[in-house]
Amino acid sequence: MGILNQLLTIPLLFGAIVFCQYENHDFEDEYDNELDNEYPSVFHFIPSVEYTIPHPTTPAVCAKECFCSPAFPLSMNCDHRKLQIIPSIPAHIQQIYLQHNDIEAVHVESFVNASALKEINLSHNKIKSHMIDPGVFKKLSNLVQLHLEHNLLEEISLTLPKGLERLILGFNKIVRLPSKALEGLVNLTMLDLCHNYLDDSQLKGIHFSDMKSLMQINLCSNRLQSMPPDLPRSLMYLSLENNSISFIPDNYFQKLPNIVALRMSHNNLHKVPYNAFNLSNLVELNLGHNNLKQAFYIPRSLQHLYIEDNAIEVLNVTLMCPSMDPRNFNHLTYIRVDHNKLTAPISTYAFFCFPHIRSIYYGEQKLTANQRTQLRTPVFRRYLTPEEYDEEDDDHEEQEPGGRDDDYFDPYLY
C-alpha cells in the first residue's frame, strides 16, 4: 500500500508544477504591458523590475538633507526643510524639489553633476536675481521645466537652455525684462510672469513671435496699459487680468487665430472693437470688472462669457448674434452679467440664437452709484435634455470636493 500511495502522488505533484508555471507566465504578460504606459515617457519613474524575483530599486546616492523614495528613484525631495543652500545634486536625479525653503542663492557647484535634470522647483524661497550664478541653468541641456515663482527676483537675467518648455516666474518683483532675456527659447510652451511689476516699455523689445511653440502667456497683475505686442501665432491662452489696459487695437487678434481662452478682467476697457473676438477657436472670454457699455459680436465657438461689473444697460442680442445658421448654432452656454445697469432680462430672441444656453446669472444690478436692484430673474436656468443632464451629472461627479467656482480663473491651470 505504501508504494501504491507514492505512485499516486507523482501525477498530482506534476500537475501542480505545470499549473503554477502557467499562472506565473500569464501574470508577467499581463502586467508588463500595463507598466509600460503607466507614466509619461519623459519621466521614467518606474524602475525595471523582474517579477519572478521582486526587489526594490533604490537610488545610488541621495543628499543627506533630502529624501529619495525607492518608488521614484529619479526624484529628490528637499522641500519644507529650512534649507539655506542647495545641496549637491546626484547625477541620476531628474526632478529636484526645493520649494518652501530659505534659499537665497543658486550656485553652479550644486549642479556640477546634475546633467540629467528635467525639472527644478525653487519656488517659495528668497532668491534674488544677482544671487544666481551666470549660466547655472544653461548647461542643463535636458531641463524642460523651471519653477522660480514666489521669490525676490528683480529682473530676468537668466541664460536658459533651448530645450526649456515651461518657465514659471510669477509672484516676484520683476521690473526689467531685457530684450534678449527669452531669446532662443524655441521650445517654450508656457511662460508665467503674473504678479510682477512689468510695464509696456519692458515688453516692446521682446520678440514673443519667435517662440513658435508658445501656447500660454500669463501677464496678469502687472502694470500694462496696452495689449502686449508681437505675440506668437501658436498662442492659445492669454491672461491679462489686473492691469490697466484701456483699449484693444482693431484686428489685434487676427494674428492669433488659435486663442481658446482670453482673460482680461479688472482692466480699464471702455469699449472693444465690434469684431474683436471673431475667432473660430475661442471658448472662454472674461471681460468682467471693466467699464464696457455695450455688447459685441459673439463667435460661434464661445461657450462661457463673463461681463459682470461693467456699465452695460442693454444686452443687444442683434449685435451679439447678427445672423443664425441652423446648421451651425452658437455654442454659448453660460453668461454672467451681474453688477451692470440692466433693468430687464435679456431678450427671448437670445434663446433662438444661442440654443445651448443653460444659465444666465443676472445677480444684482447697479441703478446709480449708490443703488442696487435685483432683477426678477436673478438666475435663468434652462431645463436640460436627458442627454445634457447626464453629461452635467458626470461633470459634477468628476469635480473634487471644495473645488473652485466655475468663473474662477487659475493662471496656472493649463
Side-chain angles (χ1 to χ4, degrees):
M1 287 296 292
I3 296 174
L4 183 60
N5 287 335
Q6 290 178 7
L7 291 173
L8 288 173
T9 57
I10 290 173
L12 294 175
L13 289 172
F14 179 78
I17 292 170
V18 171
F19 178 77
C20 291
Q21 287 179 343
Y22 174 80
E23 287 296 302
N24 186 48
H25 176 75
D26 192 53
F27 178 85
E28 285 186 24
D29 286 348
E30 179 181 356
Y31 282 89
D32 277 348
N33 293 332
E34 286 190 13
L35 284 169
D36 287 344
N37 299 317
E38 187 172 355
Y39 291 97
S41 59
V42 68
F43 298 128
H44 302 289
F45 288 120
I46 300 300
S48 177
V49 177
E50 294 181 10
Y51 289 96
T52 53
I53 308 176
H55 62 275
T57 301
T58 56
V61 182
C62 186
K64 63 180 181 180
E65 303 92 336
C66 307
F67 171 72
C68 299
S69 169
F72 304 100
L74 303 182
S75 300
M76 192 161 78
N77 296 287
C78 315
D79 54 297
H80 293 86
R81 293 171 189 267
K82 298 182 180 180
L83 299 179
Q84 294 183 345
I85 60 173
I86 300 173
S88 181
I89 302 169
H92 70 283
I93 292 297
Q94 293 186 10
Q95 297 90 33
I96 177 74
Y97 302 107
L98 292 153
Q99 64 268 31
H100 293 281
N101 281 294
D102 298 319
I103 298 169
E104 296 182 356
V106 182
H107 295 309
V108 174
E109 290 79 7
S110 302
F111 296 87
V112 169
N113 299 315
S115 58
L117 272 181
K118 294 184 176 181
E119 179 181 356
I120 301 173
N121 192 329
L122 278 162
S123 64
H124 296 273
N125 278 285
K126 301 175 181 178
I127 302 168
K128 294 184 178 181
S129 298
H130 69 278
M131 298 297 288
I132 301 177
D133 286 354
V136 63
F137 300 120
K138 180 74 171 179
K139 298 177 182 179
L140 305 176
S141 58
N142 292 307
L143 190 65
V144 295
Q145 186 157 291
L146 177 59
H147 287 263
L148 283 166
E149 68 268 28
H150 290 279
N151 275 283
L152 303 174
L153 303 178
E154 308 94 353
E155 65 175 342
I156 301 179
S157 54
L158 310 172
T159 50
L160 300 166
K162 292 184 178 180
L164 194 68
E165 295 178 7
R166 294 171 65 88
L167 179 58
I168 320 297
L169 298 168
F171 294 92
N172 276 283
K173 298 183 177 182
I174 299 172
V175 295
R176 291 191 64 247
L177 191 60
S179 58
K180 295 185 178 181
L182 304 172
E183 196 172 64
L185 299 181
V186 294
N187 293 308
L188 200 68
T189 60
M190 192 269 199
L191 173 63
D192 175 62
L193 288 164
C194 280
H195 294 275
N196 280 289
Y197 301 100
L198 294 170
D199 59 28
D200 296 341
S201 64
Q202 297 302 314
L203 300 185
K204 287 182 179 178
I206 305 298
H207 299 292
F208 290 112
S209 61
D210 291 342
M211 302 178 193
K212 306 297 185 182
S213 302
L214 196 60
M215 293 187 290
Q216 180 174 354
I217 298 180
N218 298 334
L219 286 163
C220 55
S221 298
N222 276 280
R223 297 175 175 176
L224 303 181
Q225 295 184 3
S226 58
M227 300 293 287
D230 197 34
L231 296 181
R233 188 178 180 86
S234 57
L235 199 65
M236 298 175 67
Y237 308 99
L238 179 58
S239 166
L240 296 169
E241 305 99 311
N242 292 295
N243 280 287
S244 300
I245 299 172
S246 57
F247 72 100
I248 299 175
D250 290 334
N251 304 319
Y252 179 83
F253 290 104
Q254 279 193 356
K255 295 181 180 180
L256 304 173
N258 297 307
I259 288 288
V260 172
L262 173 63
R263 286 84 181 237
M264 291 190 66
S265 62
H266 295 277
N267 276 282
N268 293 330
L269 293 172
H270 286 78
K271 185 180 180 181
V272 297
Y274 173 67
N275 283 314
F277 310 114
N278 189 9
L279 301 163
S280 58
N281 294 300
L282 189 63
V283 173
E284 179 185 334
L285 177 60
N286 192 331
L287 298 174
H289 305 278
N290 279 282
N291 295 301
L292 298 176
K293 296 181 180 179
Q294 66 180 31
F296 42 82
Y297 176 75
I298 302 299
R300 296 188 187 279
S301 59
L302 193 68
Q303 296 181 22
H304 300 99
L305 174 63
Y306 304 92
I307 48 176
E308 75 276 9
D309 196 15
N310 277 282
I312 300 173
E313 297 181 1
V314 177
L315 277 174
N316 190 326
V317 180
T318 305
L319 289 176
M320 299 167 69
C321 177
S323 62
M324 290 187 294
D325 183 354
R327 298 167 299 177
N328 189 16
F329 282 115
N330 291 61
H331 289 84
L332 194 64
T333 60
Y334 177 80
I335 310 176
R336 181 174 175 180
V337 293
D338 56 294
H339 291 91
N340 276 281
K341 296 183 177 181
L342 300 176
T343 56
I346 192 171
S347 167
T348 54
Y349 174 67
F351 307 116
F352 293 98
C353 199
F354 305 114
H356 296 291
I357 281 185
R358 296 181 181 179
S359 179
I360 302 174
Y361 182 68
Y362 292 99
E364 200 173 55
Q365 298 294 318
K366 300 178 287 189
L367 288 183
T368 63
N370 299 318
Q371 287 183 313
R372 300 288 185 272
T373 185
Q374 198 87 17
L375 288 180
R376 288 186 178 181
T377 310
V379 177
F380 161 81
R381 293 191 186 279
R382 177 173 64 82
Y383 288 109
L384 306 181
T385 65
E387 293 79 10
E388 291 173 334
Y389 183 84
D390 291 339
E391 180 183 341
E392 190 84 2
D393 195 43
D394 291 340
D395 290 342
H396 283 301
E397 289 180 1
E398 291 174 4
Q399 289 180 353
E400 296 182 3
R404 298 183 178 93
D405 295 336
D406 290 341
D407 60 338
Y408 181 90
F409 168 64
D410 181 355
Y412 305 100
L413 181 61
Y414 300 100

